[in-house]
Amino acid sequence: MTIQLPPHRVERLWEILNSIPRRQKRTSVKKWHKVLGELRSMAIALPGSRSMFGRLQNALKLDGTSRIALNKGVHQALDDFRWIAKDLTERPTRIQEIIPLLPGAEGDHDASGAGAGGVWFPSDTLAPRGDWKPNVPVVWRIEWPDWVRKRLVSAENPTGDITNSDLELAGGLIQLEALAQTFDIRERTVVSKGDNLNTTFWERKG
């Protein structure tokens, strides 16, 4: 089952985005309220857009003037909407992309300075890939290479440029990839759990 914006709404979406060129630095509060309102009214048919309004909304925090500052972050968010608008012209939006289903698999993962690992418990609603058997848990682990461990921020290495949250996020990506390699999870909802708030927020962002 699919949904899509009617042609006149797609046309209006492009009108909104084209009215704010990347070189523009400021706009009026009245226009910005109108832009946000119209984009939110279309968001149900724009997969992934629900979590893209943060920077656009934050632009309403005026810097002592009556004009909205269109900084780099705002324009990056608008570019994301442009990408979605282009994608809309190529195919309709599948319901599964915007409405979570019951999870087809649940799992947990964790990471440390030494490595990362995780486990998945798939349901019988997922089709296995290759020789993998249905309902068989997926377990993985990885040891970080030396160059990663040497760059990890710690009490002994305060000038490092890799944090524990970076490793947790990397572990979250590997966790999802492990399931995608063993089961067909296209248009399926899966729940990956961990103890790092940054990674959990990213995974729930959609």
Side-chain angles (χ1 to χ4, degrees):
M1 184 181 296
T2 62
I3 61 173
Q4 60 187 120
L5 290 173
H8 73 277
R9 295 286 276 171
V10 176
E11 183 178 346
R12 177 55 185 158
L13 175 58
W14 276 113
E15 287 178 0
I16 294 170
L17 297 173
N18 291 334
S19 72
I20 310 172
R22 294 178 180 87
R23 65 181 181 276
Q24 186 172 341
K25 301 300 182 182
R26 291 186 178 276
T27 190
S28 68
V29 174
K30 181 178 179 180
K31 179 177 179 179
W32 198 242
H33 275 294
K34 185 175 182 180
V35 167
L36 285 177
E38 291 199 72
L39 289 180
R40 286 191 182 279
S41 72
M42 302 178 190
I44 190 171
L46 307 178
S49 66
R50 182 181 63 178
S51 302
M52 290 165 45
F53 285 94
R55 287 180 171 178
L56 304 184
Q57 198 71 38
N58 285 340
L60 288 170
K61 296 179 179 179
L62 303 179
D63 55 358
T65 70
S66 59
R67 306 278 288 175
I68 298 293
L70 303 178
N71 57 29
K72 181 179 179 181
V74 170
H75 281 293
Q76 287 176 339
L78 292 174
D79 282 341
D80 289 338
F81 273 101
R82 291 185 180 97
W83 184 91
I84 291 176
K86 182 178 180 296
D87 190 54
L88 285 176
T89 64
E90 298 174 357
R91 64 171 180 85
T93 299
R94 298 177 179 87
I95 291 294
Q96 293 92 330
E97 293 181 85
I98 55 178
I99 300 177
L101 306 174
L102 290 175
E106 295 191 36
D108 293 270
H109 62 90
D110 202 0
S112 69
V119 60
W120 280 107
F121 299 97
S123 71
D124 56 9
T125 63
L126 295 183
R129 294 183 184 274
D131 296 329
W132 203 269
K133 294 180 175 57
N135 295 321
V136 174
V138 179
V139 180
W140 66 273
R141 65 178 179 176
I142 185 174
E143 183 179 6
W144 302 127
D146 287 338
W147 67 267
V148 171
R149 293 199 292 265
K150 289 177 180 178
R151 290 169 56 183
L152 181 64
V153 176
S154 65
E156 294 75 27
N157 184 32
T159 60
D161 57 359
I162 294 178
T163 68
N164 183 69
S165 289
D166 293 327
L167 299 182
E168 292 276 8
L169 181 56
L173 288 169
I174 300 171
Q175 169 82 346
L176 295 172
E177 182 64 17
L179 185 63
Q181 291 291 329
T182 49
F183 288 87
D184 185 356
I185 58 173
R186 290 174 294 179
E187 300 184 12
R188 293 289 188 270
T189 297
V190 298
V191 176
S192 179
K193 303 174 184 177
D195 60 1
N196 182 266
L197 183 60
N198 293 333
T199 301
T200 299
F201 177 78
W202 177 82
E203 289 176 340
R204 299 295 184 272
K205 216 172 170 184

